[in-house]
Amino acid sequence: MQSPWDYPDFDDHEVVHFVTDANTGLKAIIAVHSTHLGPGAGGTRLWHYPNRGDAIRDVLRLSRGMSYKNAMAGLALGGGKAVILADEARTKSDEMFAAFGRSVEGLCGKYVTAEDVGVTVPDLVEVSRHTRYVSGLPVEAGAVGGDPGPHTSYGVFLGIKAAVRSKLGKGSVAGLHIAIQGAGSVASGVARRAAEEGARISLADIDGARAQKLADEVGGVVVPVNEIMTLEADVLSPNALGAILTAESIAALRVPIVAGGANNQLATPAEGDLIHQRGILYAPDYVINAGGIINVASEYLKDADEAGVKARIEQIPGRLETIWAESDTTGRNPAAVADAMARRLIGRG
Ligand code: NAD
């Protein structure tokens, strides 16, 4: 039996906490990668993992990604993440989230949770009845907080525009074809903003009805799930799940730009080189998708109002440009450049 220490994704994580609550059926893993810059912050993902090893791998990768993301967003936060191992129907209950909240509280602030795939604001409200270490809660109009999805979408959209400027020399996405993987919270915000600026949208989601609804709203078209990554377009924006950029999928890409909000898009660091060698401009995921955590952090740390959050998100394009410039001068791929910058910031450079 492989221990968490032996997983290739284990990177001296400070805490890996396994949670079982027999009364509610809760099975979860909380991983804190680094608290060098502050409490380990990152959302909770509720997902059906065919085997438990997949869940361990996911939480190790995602929590390290949060350390990098928070550091690169200039936040006083470390990196952490939680996964809830759901059944195939992804059944959830208030009692399950109450038990999860108690386990977060038990870590005494080393980990601060928020939303991720499968976890909604009402779920977090239940969590917040049992722990203070939670963000992404409903707030009164005008206050900072709430669902991070729209903020992530805003940052991803600005990142797409920066990539379009840098790679295609265009100041707008008007008339460009954007292929979007996913039709959830992040994808829908990206699709709406891009369509509003005049882009043509193609999208795919394993939830066909969700995909159709979004396509109808933005005047786009739905394409089969297995075709979205090989579509000829100006931008591929992955906004569903991770590890979608493999040697095989990269070889089949027909876009000059990959820029989207999904976490951990590269299956392994080696794919960062492959996509670079193909001359495709890649926006490192945890840099372009930091809008949500910027909002969550500002709510939790209470150090910015709505205008301040917007201004912080608007720094994402500049960060991407710094990474692409260093990539140009050193020849290293943008993902490797971003990782090295992030590791220096968390004291592991
Ligand atoms: P969501 O649950 O709202 O949407 C995800 C969508 O992806 C769902 O509609 C799902 O059906 C679809 N999907 C799953 N597998 C797919 C596949 N193989 N092909 C096509 N579609 C598929 O989640 P979200 O909040 O929009 O998050 C999307 C991604 O962005 C995730 O990787 C998440 O970790 C990342 N992310 C989200 C935020 C945020 O603020 N919500 C912040 C940073 C990163």
Side-chain angles (χ1 to χ4, degrees):
M1 188 67 146
Q2 203 179 14
S3 83
W5 282 279
D6 302 322
Y7 277 71
D9 291 302
F10 184 76
D11 178 41
D12 291 334
H13 286 67
E14 292 179 20
V15 177
V16 183
H17 188 67
F18 290 84
V19 182
T20 303
D21 185 78
N23 289 335
T24 61
L26 172 72
K27 276 217 176 314
I29 314 170
I30 301 172
V32 177
H33 175 251
S34 166
T35 56
H36 184 77
L37 294 172
T44 296
R45 175 171 294 192
L46 184 141
W47 195 248
H48 172 66
Y49 294 94
N51 66 68
R52 292 174 185 179
D54 293 344
I56 297 174
R57 209 168 295 118
D58 219 21
V59 80
L60 292 175
R61 278 159 55 98
L62 292 167
S63 57
R64 181 183 50 203
M66 289 310 302
S67 290
Y68 290 4
K69 181 192 297 200
N70 292 339
M72 290 296 277
L75 300 170
L77 291 172
K81 198 89 182 182
V83 294
I84 295 178
L85 290 75
D87 59 18
E88 228 161 313
R90 288 200 263 160
T91 312
K92 54 186 183 179
S93 65
D94 283 355
E95 293 71 27
M96 195 184 253
F97 283 106
F100 179 69
R102 289 192 294 272
S103 61
V104 171
E105 183 67 18
L107 290 175
C108 303
K110 245 180 158 9
Y111 171 63
V112 180
T113 197
E115 289 90 352
D116 192 58
V117 176
V119 173
T120 60
V121 172
D123 297 335
L124 283 184
V125 169
E126 191 52 43
V127 170
S128 75
R129 298 200 169 102
H130 305 273
T131 182
R132 297 154 271 184
Y133 308 116
V134 53
S135 202
L137 297 168
V139 288
E140 284 166 26
V144 168
D147 183 3
H151 301 275
T152 304
S153 303
Y154 181 45
V156 170
F157 176 64
L158 296 179
I160 289 173
K161 281 171 68 72
V164 160
R165 213 162 34 239
S166 178
K167 184 78 180 171
L168 308 176
K170 293 197 158 92
S172 144
V173 297
L176 299 185
H177 180 199
I178 304 190
I180 300 181
Q181 186 177 46
S185 169
V186 176
S188 55
V190 172
R192 283 184 202 116
R193 286 181 186 274
E196 205 171 296
E197 201 174 286
R200 186 158 66 84
I201 308 293
S202 297
L203 57 92
D205 196 294
I206 48 170
D207 181 337
R210 203 174 200 188
Q212 194 58 56
K213 187 162 176 277
L214 180 59
D216 290 346
E217 188 191 329
V218 301
V221 295
V222 175
V223 302
V225 165
N226 59 357
E227 284 176 23
I228 193 75
M229 296 215 22
T230 53
L231 218 57
E232 189 169 357
D234 296 293
V235 178
L236 169 66
S237 186
N239 295 294
L241 292 181
I244 42 113
L245 294 170
T246 61
E248 201 188 347
S249 71
I250 289 169
L253 289 174
R254 291 197 294 159
V255 287
I257 293 167
V258 174
N263 281 312
N264 294 316
Q265 291 167 38
L266 301 169
T268 72
E271 275 76 23
D273 276 331
L274 295 181
I275 195 162
H276 190 55
Q277 282 156 12
R278 280 217 48 206
I280 296 169
L281 185 64
Y282 175 65
D285 44 26
Y286 58 83
V287 181
I288 193 173
N289 72 15
I293 195 70
I294 288 171
N295 189 60
V296 165
S298 307
E299 173 192 344
Y300 187 74
L301 300 169
K302 297 187 175 40
D303 64 351
D305 59 10
E306 245 182 294
V309 168
K310 191 163 176 282
R312 281 181 182 164
I313 295 173
E314 287 167 358
Q315 289 172 9
I316 290 174
R319 279 197 200 96
L320 289 169
E321 281 155 6
T322 305
I323 291 164
W324 293 326
E326 189 172 322
S327 169
D328 279 349
T329 52
T330 61
R332 295 180 76 192
N333 78 70
V337 169
D339 285 359
M341 281 181 182
R343 290 192 80 82
R344 284 197 293 277
L345 290 170
I346 63 168
R348 298 191 189 193

